[in-house]
Amino acid sequence: MISTRCRLSLYPWKRHHLLRHSQQKCLHTSLRLEHKYFVTTPIFYVNAAPHLGHLYTAVLADALTRWQRLVGNETLFSTGTDEHGLKVQQAASKNKVEPLEYCNQVSALFKRLFENANIGYDDYIRTTEPRHKESVQWFWERLDDAGCIYKDRYEGWYCVTDECYLSEDEVTDSTDGEGNKIKVSVESGNPVTWMTEDNYKFRLSQFTDRLSAWLDSGVIHPSKFEAMVRRWVEDLPELSVSRPSDRLPWGIPVPGDPSQTIYVWLDALVNYLTVAGFPGKITNWPPDCQIIGKDILRFHAVYWPAFLMAAGMDPPKRLLVHSHWMVDGFKMSKSRRNVVDPVKQMSTLSADGLRYFLMKEGVPHSDGNYSDAKAVECVNSDLVNTLGNLLSRCTSAAINPRQVFTEPSSRSLVQDLSRDEQAAFSQLNDLPDIVAEHYENVSIYKSLDAIMRQLNSANALMQHHQPWQLAKSNSASSRQHLDTVVHVAMETLRRCGILLQPVTPGVSDKLLSRLGISPDSRRLVNAKSAWPCESDLGPTTSVLLKRIDRQR
Ligand code: MSP
């Protein structure tokens, strides 16, 4: 709430920012009319309960979507569950329930987890929904009409766990738990079986040139994953895209041939078209950013764009590939029994605490190692100490008895702060652009580092100027000095709080509400311009997050 005490700003840079603010408003309004920024997560298998790796994919996508909203773009953000296939069918029968009942149960677990973790999706798609069946069958017909599908005999390896076909050099010898010799996938280590069956194939090999041209446009991020895709694209086999229905009843039938079920990956990939409204009213195409783990790169960077090209549609503009969370050096998996339960972690760290840790420690280009101790230390140090303490100090009754977002005097800014402190404070003006650049490069961890550096310098300034001592004096100069110190803390908190929203939406909301910043003043443009005047603080609590006790 801005009070009547408003005066002209004392900041030299403010005019410039106000101008940029109004220009940006126009730009965002026109963008809004044209296009929603479309972000997707992969849809999650329902053969087991969600684990931390799944939540990571979803948080990454959510943070990038929230960033777009912060910038001023409208968004479409989809997630959901992948419910067909042999793997799910087997999991249901192991649990002695019908496949759909089983899917309902596990899909609800993902949905609840995402809601508790503040994943602000617009659409939650399930591949067992009628709208999706319609979309998959329509898409199949488009591929068929384009002459890209033919019937043939498949003889080769199939991996049920990965739901994929493998060539001879993609499998290797191994042993199972009882010491029996088995064949496994080289890439995933999962067991494979030999299969001979009639099915439909897709003319994948025809797409080498078009896929290479698409890769040339730099769609794969980080670029280290591109080389691998190029190797696959150079030597493309034809791809089986259906399985006999008597072997795989749990899926969508091939239109006009119910003896065959559509391959689960083709079925699953079409979810992105379903959420965009195909085959009816199309709201957004192509997706702006599709988030995937590196284990499903081939499906998204080869099969998916080839299917779309065959159907005469645009492939995605960007594929963002992330690495994996490991535990003690191994990828999290049910079979290895090293799965980290995100629900349990959130009960200790809070939703925002866990989100923050995942975004600070997870980097797209290399695997991260999860440890409870590291997570607790990260949340306590950054969110509780650095952010939380700064807020409770500058809003405490002792230091801030009038409960206001103070306005500094220009004289005090120059006289009372050292040159280094003035320089550190004015770096706040560059912070939004720095953070924006890191989001553009999907280096969210770097944006969090930059924000924490800024908060640390405000904490150091508080420590140096000891506002609790200044508050004891009645002199006008001490009061001005105090207002300036409190202002630096609050202005740093306001701008950092705005910039933290994509990662810690709950904590940021508490922080900004306490500072009295209304919801319509929390956009990127607001972080770019200086707070114009003295205003009242909000009434809510100053405790953002309680210190986490490791014993819990
Ligand atoms: N159903 C397919 C995707 C179909 S999309 C058309 C699938 N599902 S999954 O449940 O196995 O994986 C979903 C996402 O979780 C993938 O992006 C995968 O990389 C990610 N993760 C699974 N384990 C992971 C880690 N240990 N660490 C980080 N992400 C991981 O694949």
Side-chain angles (χ1 to χ4, degrees):
M1 195 181 14
I2 296 179
S3 78
T4 47
R5 289 179 287 243
C6 275
R7 270 174 269 144
L8 268 178
S9 164
L10 299 162
Y11 300 98
W13 57 80
K14 193 194 152 203
R15 230 168 233 288
H16 169 65
H17 277 281
L18 281 181
L19 195 67
R20 295 240 304 258
H21 183 151
S22 64
Q23 283 168 340
Q24 283 199 342
K25 240 186 169 167
C26 295
L27 180 68
H28 297 146
T29 313
S30 64
L31 269 177
R32 203 170 296 145
L33 291 175
E34 284 160 17
H35 177 70
K36 283 188 180 170
Y37 192 90
F38 185 13
V39 182
T40 67
T41 74
I43 47 172
F44 299 88
Y45 284 131
V46 288
N47 61 310
H51 63 56
L52 191 87
H54 300 136
L55 182 63
Y56 174 65
T57 298
V59 172
L60 185 56
D62 183 59
L64 292 169
T65 308
R66 285 178 190 269
W67 174 259
Q68 289 298 326
R69 291 191 202 128
L70 193 71
V71 167
N73 292 330
E74 289 230 354
T75 56
L76 172 63
F77 171 27
S78 72
T79 189
T81 42
D82 187 355
E83 305 188 1
H84 290 133
L86 211 51
K87 190 155 73 163
V88 174
Q89 195 178 308
Q90 288 169 350
S93 88
K94 210 170 144 198
N95 282 276
K96 300 190 176 51
V97 281
E98 285 302 309
L100 185 58
E101 174 53 23
Y102 178 76
C103 293
N104 289 344
Q105 289 170 11
V106 185
S107 183
L109 291 181
F110 276 95
K111 202 170 186 182
R112 198 170 331 129
L113 169 69
F114 292 165
E115 276 158 13
N116 290 340
N118 270 324
I119 307 295
Y121 57 79
D122 299 297
D123 198 344
Y124 188 89
I125 170 125
R126 297 182 54 190
T127 53
T128 47
E129 289 176 61
R131 61 167 174 158
H132 181 65
K133 181 176 174 189
E134 188 194 348
S135 170
V136 171
Q137 293 191 323
W138 167 85
F139 190 68
W140 177 280
E141 279 164 356
R142 293 208 60 169
L143 297 180
D144 199 17
D145 290 348
C148 291
I149 285 181
Y150 62 101
K151 208 157 189 185
D152 200 12
R153 170 151 281 243
Y154 176 76
E155 209 162 349
W157 298 104
Y158 190 78
C159 175
V160 174
T161 318
D162 303 336
E163 296 282 17
C164 73
Y165 300 91
L166 296 157
S167 65
E168 201 59 55
D169 52 6
E170 287 169 330
V171 302
T172 183
D173 292 321
S174 184
T175 47
D176 66 12
E178 277 126 38
N180 304 314
K181 280 192 171 171
I182 55 162
K183 294 271 186 192
V184 296
S185 153
V186 174
E187 198 181 328
S188 68
N190 290 322
V192 298
T193 49
W194 184 260
M195 263 181 6
T196 307
E197 62 186 33
D198 286 336
N199 54 33
Y200 287 98
K201 285 188 176 165
F202 173 75
R203 298 186 196 282
L204 184 61
S205 64
Q206 293 187 349
F207 290 88
T208 299
D209 293 345
R210 289 165 71 183
L211 287 171
S212 300
W214 176 68
L215 292 171
D216 290 344
S217 65
V219 277
I220 311 273
H221 186 94
S223 54
K224 76 172 252 197
F225 292 109
E226 194 185 301
M228 201 185 292
V229 180
R230 285 197 186 272
R231 275 198 301 279
W232 291 328
V233 165
E234 269 161 28
D235 183 20
L236 289 173
E238 304 303 35
L239 178 69
S240 288
V241 282
S242 73
R243 304 221 36 217
S245 313
D246 50 0
R247 292 189 173 182
L248 178 64
W250 185 238
I252 299 176
V254 166
D257 185 357
S259 72
Q260 293 276 321
T261 301
I262 295 175
Y263 175 39
V264 280
W265 265 101
L266 174 52
D267 169 343
L269 288 162
V270 172
N271 92 82
Y272 306 126
L273 292 166
T274 310
V275 297
F278 287 98
K281 190 169 165 281
I282 299 138
T283 50
N284 271 274
W285 199 261
D288 294 277
C289 184
Q290 300 207 269
I291 320 293
I292 56 166
K294 63 182 180 181
D295 54 322
I296 54 174
L297 181 59
R298 186 196 301 246
F299 303 96
H300 283 83
V302 181
Y303 303 167
W304 173 226
F307 290 151
L308 289 169
M309 287 166 185
M313 298 161 80
D314 286 334
K317 289 186 196 158
R318 191 175 214 199
L319 283 181
L320 171 62
V321 191
H322 66 74
S323 300
H324 286 147
W325 281 95
M326 320 284 273
V327 176
D328 301 325
F330 289 103
K331 188 186 166 195
M332 233 173 275
S333 77
K334 212 171 108 185
S335 49
R336 230 181 256 285
R337 294 172 205 271
N338 64 349
V339 166
V340 177
D341 176 4
V343 176
K344 189 164 164 264
Q345 296 308 311
M346 280 200 298
S347 73
T348 311
L349 301 169
S350 79
D352 274 14
L354 181 57
R355 289 173 63 105
Y356 183 83
F357 175 69
L358 292 175
M359 293 299 98
K360 180 104 188 280
E361 284 291 316
V363 294
H365 46 271
S366 55
D367 291 341
N369 211 43
Y370 190 84
S371 107
D372 283 345
K374 216 161 50 168
V376 170
E377 161 63 22
C378 166
V379 175
N380 275 343
S381 142
D382 289 6
L383 296 184
V384 179
N385 292 349
T386 304
L387 186 70
N389 280 353
L390 187 60
L391 178 71
S392 48
R393 274 176 163 183
C394 64
T395 54
S396 75
I399 289 177
N400 195 335
R402 291 189 298 130
Q403 290 291 287
V404 287
F405 192 131
T406 58
E407 192 174 21
S409 82
S410 42
R411 194 193 61 79
S412 165
L413 271 169
V414 176
Q415 279 187 2
D416 295 329
L417 304 192
S418 71
R419 271 182 193 283
D420 284 351
E421 286 170 338
Q422 289 173 46
F425 183 45
S426 65
Q427 268 169 17
L428 260 186
N429 295 321
D430 302 326
L431 190 63
D433 287 338
I434 291 170
V435 169
E437 198 181 324
H438 292 321
Y439 267 89
E440 184 49 36
N441 297 325
V442 203
S443 301
I444 299 182
Y445 67 104
K446 287 191 186 167
S447 79
L448 298 176
D449 278 343
I451 292 169
M452 284 302 139
R453 268 198 304 279
Q454 197 74 48
L455 288 163
N456 277 328
S457 67
N459 268 316
L461 183 133
M462 288 286 267
Q463 199 57 36
H464 178 223
H465 290 266
Q466 309 233 322
W468 43 92
Q469 297 296 353
L470 293 170
K472 288 180 189 159
S473 160
N474 280 331
S475 76
S477 68
S478 292
R479 240 177 288 124
Q480 280 193 351
H481 189 166
L482 178 61
D483 280 356
T484 297
V485 170
V486 169
H487 177 84
V488 170
M490 289 194 167
E491 183 59 345
T492 306
L493 283 167
R494 181 186 69 87
R495 297 204 198 190
C496 291
I498 290 175
L499 296 171
L500 278 171
Q501 289 177 102
V503 175
T504 54
V507 164
S508 295
D509 177 45
K510 262 193 191 174
L511 165 69
L512 295 168
S513 299
R514 178 67 180 116
L515 292 178
I517 311 301
S518 65
D520 56 5
S521 301
R522 298 178 183 182
R523 289 258 174 115
L524 184 62
V525 282
N526 304 110
K528 288 184 173 190
S529 53
W531 191 240
C533 53
E534 185 170 292
S535 56
D536 295 326
L537 292 185
T540 44
T541 170
S542 292
V543 181
L544 294 180
L545 207 63
K546 290 215 173 84
R547 166 166 289 282
I548 297 151
D549 175 3
R550 263 187 71 184
Q551 311 312 319
R552 265 205 285 167

